[in-house]
Amino acid sequence: MTCSNCSIILPIKDQGLLKIRHSRVSLTQAVDNLGMLSEQIKQEQGREDGAAFRYHSPSELEQLMDRLALLPKEWLLHMEVVVTGTFHIEGYEDWLPFSQLQARIKHPNVMDIITDQSFSSHMQPIVDHKLNVIGFEFLLRPSHSERPFQPFRLFEIAREAGLHAHLDRSARISAIEKSATCLPAGIKRFINFLPSTIYKPAYCLNHTFETIDRLSMNTEDFVFEVVETEEIDDLNVLHHIFELYRKRGVSVALDDVGAGYSTTELMNCLQPDYVKIDRSLIDGCYLNSDQKRQITGIVESASRFGGQVLAEGVEQMEDFEFCREAGVSLAQGYLFGKPEPSPPPNFMLSSVV
């Protein structure tokens, strides 16, 4: 069983054929109107005829895509494209929506980062109310200075290119492998995942569990965090993902509660093992009565289903002290340590007291 969303990324050939097809209209007349010379490609069952264009350099391919982008937007939404080399086997072609190939051609440096996995994980400590380090969150960072990126932007472009599932899986496996070399058993490893990338939970999550098993690690040391930049359309799918994780002994967390799409209503519906309060509610909370009220409300709600509450983005001792008094059991932020390539020599942070 394979999942096309996580499949190997086929490189774009420097010369070859750009093929297009459409499920609703004939494109032959349309490309002729653009003044583009094309070759006919055979009609496939259930589809209209398509066209193919020869190109001899990456710049020619980019020019062809720019010309096709002049077609009506409603046509482009249903157009599929594929780039093949001069010699290829029919039937083994990676057809993509027009917008995805457009994004891949527009951002070649980002495609190289994803293909070559030019990223690594940095680790930020998570402490309990006594300032003992109980775990680390693994955060995606560039592995080479000559290939810098902002993680959010990297995932944004990957989503446009149809590669966010591939990137999310690769980043998750990279973090698991990094944790095996850096941390002893019993230390929690908080690792992000995008639920929108897990199209077939029973299959997609196998990569995660196979990596943990291969490294002889304990699933109970892992906490997988829901990080979502888009509204979750189907909570049943997310409930199913949580169920699969928990059956294997993995805990789950909801990130950024109190901001964006991570609402308290979503928290109460999902009932995660860990509730991470967004930094926007934590920063300066000791001086702000509204922030105090919201934090206290989250703690009270989480206590009803047994969720542990974690304060994110803690930079001031006064904020930490309020959170601790309010019942927040865990904390994370620059006050305790910045994300680093490796953990500190020891896991005690008494210097911040």
Side-chain angles (χ1 to χ4, degrees), residues 277-286 291 295 310-316 319-320 323 328:
I277 302 179
D278 186 73
R279 64 182 62 246
S280 64
L281 289 182
I282 301 300
D283 185 30
C285 65
Y286 79 101
Q291 289 172 236
I295 291 170
L310 186 156
E312 292 188 287
V314 180
E315 298 187 10
Q316 303 178 77
D319 289 337
F320 175 66
C323 288
V328 176

Side-chain angles (χ1 to χ4, degrees), residues 197-218:
T197 69
I198 301 178
Y199 299 87
K200 303 171 184 176
Y203 172 74
C204 294
L205 296 182
N206 272 342
H207 301 290
T208 298
F209 298 129
E210 287 172 358
T211 303
I212 294 173
D213 292 341
R214 171 171 56 84
L215 298 170
S216 300
M217 303 175 76
N218 190 343

Side-chain angles (χ1 to χ4, degrees), residues 108 131 141 153 168 171 185 187 194 205 243 265 287 326:
L131 296 176
R141 295 292 185 268
R153 182 58 178 157
D168 187 53
I187 298 296
L194 292 166
L205 296 182
E243 182 183 0
E265 289 78 12
L287 294 174

Side-chain angles (χ1 to χ4, degrees), residues 144-156:
H144 304 293
S145 58
E146 63 271 18
R147 285 185 173 181
F149 64 79
Q150 295 179 330
F152 176 80
R153 182 58 178 157
L154 180 68
F155 272 96
E156 190 177 60

Side-chain angles (χ1 to χ4, degrees), residues 84-95:
T84 69
T86 305
F87 304 100
H88 69 281
I89 302 175
E90 291 288 344
Y92 290 87
E93 299 170 332
D94 188 18
W95 288 91

Side-chain angles (χ1 to χ4, degrees), residues 254-264 267 275-278 280-281 294 298:
L254 183 61
D255 199 18
D256 300 330
V257 173
Y261 297 111
S262 292
T263 62
T264 53
M267 174 193 71
V275 174
K276 302 187 74 174
I277 302 179
D278 186 73
S280 64
L281 289 182
Q294 292 185 66
I298 291 172

Side-chain angles (χ1 to χ4, degrees), residues 34 36-37 59 76 101 130 132 144 146 168 203 233 248 261 272 312 318 332 340 345 348:
L34 291 176
M36 301 174 69
L37 298 177
S59 61
L76 295 177
L101 181 59
K130 294 182 179 180
N132 295 316
H144 304 293
E146 63 271 18
D168 187 53
Y203 172 74
D233 294 325
R248 294 296 298 266
Y261 297 111
E312 292 188 287
E318 293 86 351
Q332 175 183 357
E340 299 288 352
M348 298 300 294

